[in-house]
């Protein structure tokens, strides 16, 4: 047995990989990666993979970015970790100061967590406790959008609507209110994303009229519903939602775990609507995909509701061992510095126009590509059997997965969302690499669908 086969065998003896049916690994063993550089991953058998999905949307500025590496190395020599109760350190202080400069206006307080799901749990608990401590104990439920996804912990699953992840756990989950989300590709009201006035917002209005008196907060993925297949909806929907929340005293939680840090073309997806949520969850690209860290950003008003003598029981008694980790903070500071000094958002905006045009040229006329939706560098190809009627492939056919497997043979990491193929590259990717991704994706789709 060669070394690679031995590593694969040892992996499968003990490791249970995430979001996988492990039986699939019988025919597609785990690919052993030895190093990364820029948008590329290098495997133990000498193959090179173009990581066009940023390794689950987290890697923002390329693998093994030398400036981020240097910041981590420098911090390692000073302080690796310290308890964050009654202790602090300069990297966390500086990160808070830098973030407040770019967050939506009014988000001034930051609570640290260690992953996206945890930040969602924090936001839910904060919203619940805030309503309780401001005289509204009846507000103890949550609203969310259909097809939403907010993480894998039980609270996060409870405010998600993806049955693939949540169906079997429903007996364990909270009883929340699920609102029909915008679906601009298959609009039930027959409207077009380019010209509508969000008539579908009536579903939110109906839910608020019926349930707002018992609702602490609503959580949404602003502008882009990621796991739903990169569904993109108009900023107007968010603007209307902000006003509705204000009218009914319902807090607005923006889950920017996947959309933050320039993924949608602006620093945060909420910026497209020029709104400030009451709570914002950030993770993934926060540390450039290097280290697990997450934040919940909130307003002074919410913070003050928890500020009192300790014995009055108003403190937010939620903690994570690695909250405020110095290495994570130094990494996030390096990401922010690179984005500012290299003018990343502006350069990514130009590449976004180029990339979408290239995908349109390659796939716009394909009989099985129903829509190529996009925002920023994010692009998603909806796979259909009938373009006119917008009929999707049967899930059990796993067409997206077959294209993923074929793309791997050509050196392209193109993991699907069901039968949606998506692209979510690093913001500093070069045009030549975008061209390569389009060419390899076109070849892979052709080999599966013709």
């Amino acid at each position: 047995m060669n070394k690679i086969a031995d590593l694969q065998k040892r992996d499968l003896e003990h490791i249970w990989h995430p979001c996988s049916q492990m039986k699939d690994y019988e025919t597609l063993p785990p690919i052993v990666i030895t190093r990364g550089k820029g948008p590329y991953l290098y495997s133990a058998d000498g193959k090179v993979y173009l990581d066009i999905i940023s390794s689950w949307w987290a890697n923002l500025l390329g693998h093994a970015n030398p400036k981020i590496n240097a910041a981590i190395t420098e911090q390692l020599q000073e302080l690796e970790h310290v308890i964050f109760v009654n202790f602090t350190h300069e990297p966390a202080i500086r990160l808070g100061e830098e973030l407040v400069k770019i967050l939506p206006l009014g988000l001034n307080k930051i609570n640290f967590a260690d992953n996206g799901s945890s930040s969602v749990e924090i936001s839910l608990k904060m919203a619940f406790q805030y309503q309780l401590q401001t005289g509204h104990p009846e507000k103890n439920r949550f609203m969310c959008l259909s097809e939403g996804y907010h993480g894998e912990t039980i609270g996060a699953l409870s405010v998600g609507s993806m049955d693939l992840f949540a169906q079997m756990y429903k007996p364990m989950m909270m009883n929340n209110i699920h609102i029909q989300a915008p679906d601009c590709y298959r609009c039930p009201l027959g409207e077009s994303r380019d010209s509508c006035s969000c008539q579908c917002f009536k579903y939110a209005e109906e839910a608020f009229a019926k349930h707002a008196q018992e609702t602490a907060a609503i959580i949404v993925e602003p502008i882009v519903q990621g796991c739903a297949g990169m569904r993109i909806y108009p900023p107007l929907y968010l603007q209307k939602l902000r006003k509705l929340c204000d009218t009914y005293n319902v807090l607005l939680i923006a889950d920017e775990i996947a959309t933050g840090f320039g993924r949608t073309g602006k620093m945060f997806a909420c910026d497209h609507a020029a709104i400030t949520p009451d709570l914002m969850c950030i993770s993934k690209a926060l540390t450039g995909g290097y280290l697990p860290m997450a934040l919940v950003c909130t307003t002074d008003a919410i913070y003050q509701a928890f500020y009192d003598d300790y014995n009055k029981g108003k403190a937010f008694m939620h903690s994570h061992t690695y909250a405020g980790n110095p290495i994570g903070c130094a990494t996030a500071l390096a990401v922010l510095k690179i984005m500012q000094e290299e003018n990343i958002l502006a350069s990514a905006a130009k590449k976004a126009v180029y990339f979408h045009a290239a995908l349109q040229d390659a796939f716009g006329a394909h009989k099985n590509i129903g829509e190529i939706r996009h925002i920023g560098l994010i692009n998603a190809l909806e796979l259909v059997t009938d373009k006119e009627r917008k009929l999707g492939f049967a899930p059990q056919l796993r067409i997206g997965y077959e294209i993923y497997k074929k793309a791997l043979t050509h050196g392209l990491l193109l993991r699907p969302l069901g039968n949606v193929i998506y692209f979510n590259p690093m913001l500093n990717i070069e045009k030549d690499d975008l061209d390569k991704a389009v060419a390899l994706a076109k070849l892979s789709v052709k080999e599966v669908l013709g």
Side-chain angles (χ1 to χ4, degrees):
M1 181 181 293
N2 62 34
K3 180 180 179 181
I4 298 167
D6 179 59
L7 287 169
Q8 292 172 327
K9 179 176 181 294
R10 287 159 57 194
D11 173 286
L12 294 174
E13 283 177 351
H14 302 293
I15 296 175
W16 193 344
H17 288 268
C19 204
S20 298
Q21 171 48 257
M22 293 304 297
K23 187 173 176 59
D24 286 344
Y25 287 65
E26 294 176 6
T27 56
L28 184 60
I31 298 166
V32 181
I33 298 299
T34 58
R35 67 185 181 93
K37 186 64 178 175
Y40 290 96
L41 297 168
Y42 298 83
S43 67
D45 59 0
K47 292 183 179 178
V48 182
Y49 298 91
L50 175 53
D51 183 0
I52 204 65
I53 63 165
S54 298
S55 287
W56 258 344
W57 323 348
N59 192 295
L60 192 71
L61 300 168
H63 296 285
N65 185 293
K67 293 181 180 179
I68 300 177
N69 291 354
I72 292 173
T73 302
E74 181 179 351
Q75 182 59 44
L76 278 171
Q77 309 308 314
E78 302 296 331
L79 179 66
E80 83 299 338
H81 185 62
V82 64
I83 183 174
F84 211 50
V85 178
N86 276 125
F87 288 82
T88 191
H89 48 82
E90 189 176 354
I93 295 167
R94 287 176 51 216
L95 179 58
E97 291 170 341
E98 292 302 314
L99 281 171
V100 167
K101 295 176 184 177
I102 60 172
L103 286 168
L105 188 64
L107 296 180
N108 295 317
K109 301 296 183 183
I110 297 169
N111 189 282
F112 286 81
D114 54 12
N115 66 79
S117 296
S118 295
S119 71
V120 168
E121 296 286 337
I122 287 173
S123 70
L124 298 178
K125 290 174 69 175
M126 276 186 179
F128 173 89
Q129 191 173 343
Y130 169 83
Q131 296 287 11
L132 181 67
Q133 291 174 182
T134 55
H136 297 285
E138 74 282 1
K139 286 180 169 286
N140 54 25
R141 297 180 71 190
F142 295 92
M143 292 185 186
C144 55
L145 297 181
S146 64
E147 306 305 316
Y149 175 82
H150 301 285
E152 300 290 351
T153 52
I154 293 300
L157 282 175
S158 296
V159 289
S161 293
M162 297 291 290
D163 283 347
L164 173 66
F165 303 105
Q167 180 66 35
M168 69 182 68
Y169 304 111
K170 285 189 176 178
M172 303 170 62
M173 288 159 51
M174 296 183 290
N175 178 25
N176 290 319
I177 301 125
H178 297 249
I179 299 169
Q180 185 171 334
D183 183 353
C184 296
Y185 177 52
R186 295 183 178 91
C187 178
L189 303 176
E191 299 293 335
S192 166
R193 74 167 75 245
D194 299 321
S195 60
C196 78
S197 55
C198 291
Q199 288 89 333
C200 63
F201 193 70
K202 70 176 185 177
Y203 303 121
E205 292 172 327
E206 291 166 0
F208 270 71
K210 186 176 181 180
H211 296 291
Q213 75 280 0
E214 57 181 323
T215 300
I218 180 170
I219 184 169
V220 299
E221 299 161 271
I223 305 297
V224 182
Q225 289 189 292
C227 279
M230 298 297 181
R231 286 189 182 179
I232 301 167
Y233 60 89
L236 178 60
Y237 191 95
L238 273 186
Q239 293 169 348
K240 289 188 173 187
L241 187 59
R242 175 70 274 178
K243 292 178 181 177
L244 198 62
C245 287
D246 290 340
T247 299
Y248 285 96
N249 187 28
V250 171
L251 298 181
L252 175 58
I253 304 171
D255 177 352
E256 292 255 15
I257 293 165
T259 56
F261 279 68
R263 287 297 188 190
T264 65
K266 292 185 180 291
M267 195 64 190
F268 299 101
C270 285
D271 294 337
H272 288 277
I275 62 108
T276 298
D278 299 292
L279 300 114
M280 177 185 283
C281 302
I282 305 172
S283 189
K284 288 191 183 287
L286 169 67
T287 61
Y290 268 69
L291 292 165
M293 191 167 80
L295 306 173
V296 177
C297 310
T298 190
T299 62
D300 290 332
I302 291 179
Y303 175 82
Q304 287 299 325
F306 292 79
Y307 197 89
D308 209 332
D309 292 334
Y310 183 82
N311 59 12
K312 292 186 178 180
K314 288 190 174 184
F316 187 59
M317 301 301 291
H318 182 112
S319 64
H320 289 276
T321 301
Y322 291 99
N325 177 261
I327 303 172
C329 291
T331 307
L333 282 166
V335 169
L336 287 172
K337 185 177 180 181
I338 293 169
M339 292 189 74
Q340 293 164 359
E341 291 183 350
E342 298 183 14
N343 206 12
I344 293 293
L345 286 182
S347 62
K350 294 177 183 177
K351 284 179 278 193
V353 175
Y354 176 85
F355 188 39
H356 182 65
L359 287 169
Q360 285 284 9
D361 288 343
F363 295 104
H366 195 285
K367 68 183 189 304
N368 296 121
I369 307 297
E371 181 183 48
I372 307 174
R373 47 186 173 267
H374 69 109
I375 186 168
L377 276 165
I378 298 172
N379 282 261
L381 280 59
E382 181 97 19
L383 304 174
V384 297
T385 59
D386 186 320
K387 292 181 74 165
E388 185 67 27
R389 293 187 292 167
K390 302 180 181 178
L391 299 178
F393 284 93
Q396 60 268 28
L397 294 178
R398 302 182 76 187
I399 298 299
Y401 181 68
E402 293 302 317
I403 294 173
Y404 158 69
K405 290 195 297 181
K406 187 64 67 174
L408 284 176
T409 67
H410 298 302
L412 180 67
L413 176 50
L414 190 68
R415 191 169 179 85
L417 296 163
N419 284 326
V420 173
I421 297 296
Y422 74 92
F423 303 79
N424 197 359
M426 295 98 179
L427 297 191
N428 59 351
I429 192 170
E430 299 295 338
K431 286 185 177 180
D432 287 348
D433 297 319
L434 293 174
D435 290 338
K436 182 176 181 180
V438 173
L440 295 178
K442 185 175 182 179
L443 177 60
S444 304
V445 169
K446 182 178 180 180
E447 290 177 344
V448 174
L449 295 173

